[in-house]
Amino acid sequence: MSFVEYSEIIQEGDVIIIFLGHESMMPIKVQSGAQTQTRYGVIRHSSDLIGQRFGSKVTCSKGGWVYVLHPTPELWTVNLPHRTQILYTTDIANITLLLDLKPGSVVCESGTGSGSLSHSILRTIAPTGHLHTVEFHAQRAEKAVQEFKEHKVSHLVTVRNQDVCKDGFNITGIADAVFLDIPSPWEAITHAKSAMKRKGEKFCRFTPEMSATVRTLDSLLDHGFEEICTLEVLLRVHDVRTVTLPLPDFGPEEDSADSSQVASDLSQDEVPNTGNTSVICRTATPPREMAGHTGYLTFATKPRD
C-alpha cells in the first residue's frame, strides 16, 4: 500500500479506509491479531482484512458489512486526524492545477500542519519529484514524518522543523513552486523567491483573512512578482435524486366535443379514468445551507532576476 501507488492486496502494516457510508469512514492500520470495532460489529484484521483485495465487502461480527478502500489523498483529507485546520479538496484542486505541478516537480511548502495538502502534492509529483515541507511546531513535524513513513511516501518528502520566516527552506534555486500557509507569509517571500528556480516559477499563499492577503500582495509587488491574482473558491453540491410528481387532471380540452355527449356514447368500460396520474423523474436540489468562505488563494509568478 502506498498513497502514490495502487496495490491490489491488503497486507499487514497497510493504512486502509473503512467505508461505513458516505458520511461515515475511518482510517485504520492493519495489524495481525488486532480488531476494530464498528457499529456493524467487529472486524478482525487477520481473517477479515489481511490477504483481501482493496474494495472488498467485509462482513462484520453482527452481520453488517463495510467496504475496505485503498487510501487516496482525497479520502485521507476527510479522515485524517486534525492537528491543525486543514485544506480541503475544493482549494487543493486549484492549488495543484495553478501551481502547474506534475511528475518530477520540486515543491516547497510551509506549514505542513495535518498533511492534507502534502499528500495531494506528493501524488502529483511522484515518482521523481520532491516535496520540501517546513513545520514550525516540533510535535506536528514529528507526527508528519511518522505518517509519511507509514504511507510509504517518505522517499518523496523532506520534513524540516524550523521557522520558515527566519530560516527559509534550506534550499536555493531548485523549487518549481512554493506554497505558504502561515500566519505572516509576507515575512517569508524573500525565502520563497530564493528557493525558486528561474523566471516563471509559481507561488501560492492561502489565508482566510483579506487583511493578510493585502499585506501578502504588497510584499509580492515589492519583490517584483508578476501575474498576481487572488481568488476564492466556492463549492455548491447539488443533491440529485429520483422523485415522483403527480400530474394534475385539467379535464377535457375546450375545443373538444361536449364531454357529456361523449361519455354517454361510451360503454361503462370505456369511460376514461379521471384519477390523477404521476410521472417519475430526476431532479437536482441545491443545499439549503452551504459552507461559503474557506479562504483566499493568492497566486504569483517569479520575476526575472
Side-chain angles (χ1 to χ4, degrees):
M1 181 281 308
S2 169
F3 272 61
V4 298
E5 296 178 0
Y6 185 78
S7 302
E8 291 286 342
I9 305 300
I10 300 173
Q11 302 178 21
E12 183 174 3
D14 284 352
V15 175
I16 67 172
I17 305 296
I18 301 297
F19 180 89
L20 298 94
H22 289 290
E23 302 297 328
S24 181
M25 291 179 279
M26 57 188 296
I28 64 171
K29 184 176 181 179
V30 178
Q31 296 176 313
S32 180
Q35 297 182 353
T36 297
Q37 290 282 351
T38 74
R39 64 171 179 260
Y40 302 123
V42 173
I43 300 174
R44 297 174 176 83
H45 293 201
S46 296
S47 58
D48 298 333
L49 298 179
I50 297 177
Q52 299 295 322
R53 287 183 174 274
F54 280 103
S56 297
K57 185 177 179 180
V58 173
T59 302
C60 304
S61 61
K62 294 182 180 179
W65 50 268
V66 299
Y67 287 108
V68 288
L69 305 181
H70 195 287
T72 65
E74 292 81 9
L75 288 174
W76 185 245
T77 290
V78 296
N79 288 285
L80 58 77
H82 284 229
R83 300 184 288 272
T84 59
Q85 179 62 37
I86 69 170
L87 290 175
Y88 289 93
T89 52
T90 308
D91 292 309
I92 291 173
N94 284 272
I95 292 169
T96 55
L97 175 68
L98 296 178
L99 285 182
D100 194 25
L101 302 187
K102 52 188 175 295
S105 294
V106 177
V107 184
C108 291
E109 175 198 28
S110 183
T112 313
S114 301
S116 175
L117 175 63
S118 304
H119 283 79
S120 290
I121 291 176
L122 290 171
R123 182 183 59 183
T124 305
I125 66 176
T128 57
H130 200 84
L131 172 64
H132 298 267
T133 183
V134 175
E135 173 56 51
F136 176 79
H137 193 278
Q139 291 180 337
R140 289 200 292 263
E142 182 179 349
K143 185 62 178 178
V145 170
Q146 177 185 347
E147 284 182 348
F148 291 142
K149 183 177 180 180
E150 290 180 351
H151 299 167
K152 297 180 174 62
V153 294
S154 58
H155 61 292
L156 297 171
V157 57
T158 300
V159 181
R160 294 183 174 90
N161 172 220
Q162 60 193 43
D163 184 351
V164 71
C165 296
K166 295 180 179 179
D167 305 319
F169 294 98
N170 284 18
I171 63 172
T172 303
I174 66 171
D176 297 289
V178 173
F179 174 82
L180 298 179
D181 183 6
I182 55 177
S184 305
W186 50 90
E187 297 179 3
I189 300 298
T190 300
H191 297 298
K193 185 178 180 181
S194 175
M196 292 179 176
K197 292 180 181 177
R198 55 194 178 278
K199 177 185 185 314
E201 309 309 335
K202 302 296 182 180
F203 169 90
C204 178
R205 155 66 175 141
F206 174 89
T207 176
E209 303 170 352
M210 181 52 71
S211 58
T213 299
V214 172
R215 292 194 65 175
T216 303
L217 290 172
D218 291 340
S219 181
L220 289 170
L221 290 170
D222 291 341
H223 286 82
F225 276 79
E226 303 166 350
E227 300 177 339
I228 301 173
C229 69
T230 297
L231 57 89
E232 181 183 22
V233 185
L234 301 179
L235 176 66
R236 191 181 189 194
V237 179
H238 289 251
D239 181 19
V240 180
R241 53 187 170 180
T242 301
V243 297
T244 302
L245 299 176
L247 293 178
D249 180 11
F250 294 107
E253 298 182 5
E254 294 182 358
D255 58 351
S256 63
D258 183 76
S259 60
S260 60
Q261 181 63 41
V262 172
S264 64
D265 294 339
L266 296 174
S267 66
Q268 186 64 30
D269 293 338
E270 294 175 312
V271 175
N273 180 12
T274 58
N276 290 349
T277 58
S278 60
V279 61
I280 298 176
C281 61
R282 294 190 180 275
T283 182
T285 305
R288 294 183 179 179
E289 296 181 359
M290 61 176 282
H293 176 73
T294 57
Y296 301 105
L297 294 172
T298 299
F299 294 90
T301 303
K302 182 182 177 180
R304 186 182 302 276
D305 293 327

